[in-house]
Amino acid sequence: MVRGKTQMRRIENATSRQVTFSKRRNGLLKKAFELSVLCDAEVALIIFSPRGKLYEFASSSMKDTIERYRNQVKDVQTDTSSVEDVQHLKNETAIMAKKVELLEVAKRKLLGEGLGSSTVEDLVRIEQQLERSVRIIRARKMQVYTEQIEQLKAKERLLADENAILTEKCQSQKDQEAEEMRADLRVVENGEISDVETELFIGPPETRTKQRWLK
């Protein structure tokens, strides 16, 4: 009797589904064992039944095999991420290079170079851009002039204040000197300055006494 081809879909009958699971499970575990023995391969197999029961097979240690699997997957993911990062950087570099090229072309056109392939619309757009740039530059120039004028005015006010302080000090010093001169003149006029007479005698005391009597 020829067996019919099994359709790969869920078995609706619960009993038939359980029987098929038991047969296929045992066959899968047997194949895993044969693969590990015949080919000297490290095999780990984990099966959960529809009811959640665990069936497993490991040719060595299930824990070690799972850890080896995790490390392998981690390395593969790291390598994949590195490749993706490199590709992303290449794409970003290509985009930036294209932008730089477009900026260089626009710069040359603003300088009046490379206009041979420009259309009338391109020339009008360049002219309008230049006019806007000139207006911005002029406005900035006037702003700088105004700021410089304000700074000069502030310096002028500061110098004027310093000059006023120095003038006041000079005038005060002159007034003090004049007052001292007037005080000296008043002393002279009042006769407070007089000559002082000094008697100087050289000789013995007797001679000095005689001279006093003679006077």
Side-chain angles (χ1 to χ4, degrees):
M1 182 177 178
V2 180
R3 298 176 61 183
K5 184 177 180 181
T6 303
Q7 296 181 356
M8 299 305 297
R9 65 180 182 180
R10 182 177 183 272
I11 300 174
E12 298 298 334
N13 185 273
T15 303
S16 299
R17 186 167 62 246
Q18 182 62 35
V19 172
T20 302
F21 171 77
S22 298
K23 291 181 178 180
R24 296 296 178 97
R25 178 201 65 205
N26 294 333
L28 184 59
L29 292 172
K30 181 180 179 181
K31 291 293 184 182
F33 170 74
E34 293 175 352
L35 181 62
S36 65
V37 174
L38 296 174
C39 302
D40 194 21
E42 184 178 354
V43 180
L45 176 63
I46 298 176
I47 303 173
F48 285 97
S49 69
R51 296 179 180 179
K53 187 176 180 180
L54 172 65
Y55 300 90
E56 64 179 17
F57 167 80
S59 59
S60 57
S61 170
M62 178 65 73
K63 182 179 179 180
D64 294 341
T65 303
I66 292 175
E67 186 65 26
R68 181 179 179 183
Y69 168 77
R70 288 176 176 174
N71 294 333
Q72 184 69 22
V73 171
K74 182 178 180 181
D75 293 339
V76 172
Q77 290 177 347
T78 302
D79 295 339
T80 303
S81 300
S82 300
V83 173
E84 292 177 354
D85 292 340
V86 171
Q87 187 62 36
H88 179 70
L89 290 176
K90 288 182 178 179
N91 295 336
E92 289 292 331
T93 302
I95 293 173
M96 292 300 297
K98 187 64 176 178
K99 290 182 178 180
V100 170
E101 182 181 356
L102 294 175
L103 290 173
E104 289 292 335
V105 172
K107 178 182 176 181
R108 288 195 298 270
K109 288 183 178 181
L110 289 174
L111 295 175
E113 302 174 359
L115 298 175
S117 60
S118 301
T119 62
V120 175
E121 289 79 7
D122 294 337
L123 295 175
V124 171
R125 184 170 59 254
I126 293 172
E127 182 181 9
Q128 292 175 351
Q129 186 175 357
L130 288 172
E131 290 176 352
R132 287 194 300 269
S133 300
V134 170
R135 288 196 297 269
I136 294 173
I137 292 172
R138 287 176 177 173
R140 177 55 183 166
K141 183 179 68 174
M142 294 302 299
Q143 182 180 359
V144 173
Y145 282 163
T146 303
E147 292 175 355
Q148 290 180 351
I149 291 173
E150 291 298 328
Q151 291 176 359
L152 291 174
K153 288 182 178 180
K155 289 182 179 180
E156 182 181 2
R157 290 192 295 268
L158 181 61
L159 292 174
D161 294 339
E162 292 179 353
N163 187 32
I165 293 173
L166 291 175
T167 302
E168 184 178 356
K169 288 183 179 179
C170 291
Q171 186 62 39
S172 177
Q173 185 175 0
K174 288 181 180 180
D175 294 341
Q176 184 178 359
E177 292 176 354
E179 182 63 28
E180 291 177 355
M181 291 180 64
R182 287 194 294 270
D184 293 339
L185 290 175
R186 286 195 297 270
V187 171
V188 173
E189 291 175 354
N190 293 332
E192 294 181 1
I193 299 178
S194 60
D195 295 333
V196 178
E197 296 181 358
T198 303
E199 295 181 358
L200 180 60
F201 177 79
I202 300 175
E206 296 82 1
T207 308
R208 183 174 56 186
T209 304
K210 292 178 179 179
Q211 288 182 356
R212 286 182 179 178
W213 283 106
L214 292 173
K215 290 180 180 182

